[in-house]
């Protein structure tokens, strides 16, 4: 399973790095999450410069895509030429977005009238794009999911892992990254959030 973590200038490190690190716990199963960007290097909201592992075109080939958030998301959302380079297919791919990344999903026409999640700062922008924002950390409709709040990134990762490899694999990855002494509770809490949106 190849996963594209869409990462733009001004990106939030938590969104991109946490999701990528958790998903890459499944590397023994053939999974790989890649920092995917429109330029060879991108700089985070706190000045961390990283080299893209894959170009933006990789998003069209990936089995799953996560769109992270950042300080410049509204600029990306207003850049028609850049948006045109993001070709996603919810019939074939699992697609998730976090916080202001939900705005990009809306601009790409992948949310429509479905309820979605985002962070509190991004909420008015996402609502202005015609999205029904709900007060929840995570929601999924078919192959499209959204999450709200920086620390909701494990929910997106868990959903993608559970959809692609089953809940046991997702739980194992979450258990590894969870705080010592809280592992069982952490995994159970994540399961409570994500399980209602998994196929029966």
């Amino acid at each position: 399973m190849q996963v594209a973590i869409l990462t733009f200038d001004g990106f939030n490190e938590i969104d991109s790095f946490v999701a990528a690190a958790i998903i890459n716990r499944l590397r023994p199963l053939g999974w790989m999450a890649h920092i995917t960007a429109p330029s060879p290097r991108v700089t985070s909201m706190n000045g961390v410069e990283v080299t893209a592992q894959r170009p933006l075109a990789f998003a069209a080939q990936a089995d799953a895509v996560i769109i992270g958030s950042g300080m410049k998301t509204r600029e990306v959302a207003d850049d028609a030429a850049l948006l045109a380079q993001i070709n996603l297919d919810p019939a074939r791919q699992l697609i998730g977005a976090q916080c202001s990344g939900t705005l990009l999903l809306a601009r790409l026409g992948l949310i429509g009238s479905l309820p979605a999640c985002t962070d509190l700062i991004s909420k008015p922008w996402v609502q202005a794009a015609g999205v029904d924002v709900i007060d929840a950390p995570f929601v999924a409709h078919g192959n499209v999911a959204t999450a709200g709040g920086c620390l909701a990134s494990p929910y997106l990762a868990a959903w993608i892992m559970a959809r692609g490899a089953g809940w046991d694999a997702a739980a194992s990855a979450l258990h590894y990254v969870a705080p010592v002494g809280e592992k069982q509770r952490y995994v159970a809490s994540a399961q409570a959030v994500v399980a209602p949106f998994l196929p029966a």
Side-chain angles (χ1 to χ4, degrees):
M1 183 77 117
Q2 299 296 301
V3 183
I5 310 290
L6 299 197
T7 304
F8 301 92
D9 266 325
F11 72 93
N12 184 317
E13 301 94 336
I14 296 175
D15 294 7
S16 293
F17 296 153
V18 171
I22 294 174
I23 290 170
N24 280 332
R25 295 301 309 165
L26 299 190
R27 193 174 299 181
L29 301 181
W31 286 57
M32 179 65 82
H34 308 271
I35 299 298
T36 302
S39 56
R41 298 185 71 81
V42 287
T43 303
S44 78
M45 60 193 296
N46 292 306
V48 179
E49 189 176 50
V50 298
T51 300
Q53 296 172 292
R54 294 289 186 274
L56 197 56
F58 173 71
Q61 307 164 20
D63 303 297
V65 177
I66 292 178
I67 304 175
S69 69
M71 293 180 65
K72 298 183 179 181
T73 303
R74 285 184 293 175
E75 294 176 28
V76 176
D78 290 335
D79 188 334
L82 182 55
L83 288 181
Q85 298 177 48
I86 306 173
N87 298 304
L88 306 181
D89 181 5
R92 180 184 66 81
Q93 298 171 302
L94 297 174
I95 302 169
Q98 183 167 349
C99 297
S100 63
T102 301
L103 175 61
L104 298 186
L105 271 190
R107 291 291 174 84
L108 291 169
L110 296 175
I111 296 180
S113 60
L114 296 174
C117 300
T118 190
D119 65 284
L120 298 180
I121 293 175
S122 302
K123 182 177 179 178
W125 314 334
V126 176
Q127 288 175 321
V131 176
D132 176 17
V133 176
I134 59 174
D135 185 22
F138 177 86
V139 68
H141 306 281
N143 287 346
V144 179
T146 54
C150 297
L151 294 181
S153 55
Y155 298 146
L156 279 177
W159 175 75
I160 287 175
M161 292 185 296
R163 289 289 307 272
W167 178 254
D168 287 347
S172 177
L174 291 172
H175 187 273
Y176 181 89
V177 302
V180 171
E182 299 180 352
K183 291 183 178 293
Q184 298 299 333
R185 183 176 66 182
Y186 185 90
V187 173
S189 177
Q191 185 176 22
V193 171
V194 174
F197 304 103
L198 298 176

